[in-house]
Amino acid sequence: MRTVFFQVRTAQDKINRIVEASHFHFLKKEHLLFFVEDDRGLLYIDNLLWSLPKESFLPHRILSQKPAEELIAITKEKLN
């Protein structure tokens, strides 16, 4: 597993990086796991991936204890 950190200057840059990284890994059929601290972050990323880019969406799943079958997943659990 690899962890990558991105430096962004604005909130819009952060949104763009999340969406770009998600699409990049999805198209390459690579797994991508977003780890967030709380329910607010979980819902934010969930809504973002369903709504951007405007002409499509990224299939993904919010995880609890089960491993992800989807390529893109979001979790706040430290067990994943």
Side-chain angles (χ1 to χ4, degrees), residues 14 29 36 39-40 52 54 56 66-67:
K14 181 192 274 185
K29 297 191 184 323
V36 297
D39 287 335
R40 183 175 170 208
L52 288 178
K54 293 191 184 299
S56 68
K66 293 174 146 183

Side-chain angles (χ1 to χ4, degrees), residues 32-34 42 60-70 72-77 80:
L32 179 63
L33 178 66
F34 286 101
L42 201 70
H60 62 280
R61 186 171 111 185
I62 295 175
L63 296 180
S64 55
Q65 297 292 332
K66 293 174 146 183
E69 294 173 12
E70 285 76 17
I72 300 174
I74 312 162
T75 188
K76 66 177 186 174
E77 302 293 329
N80 293 306

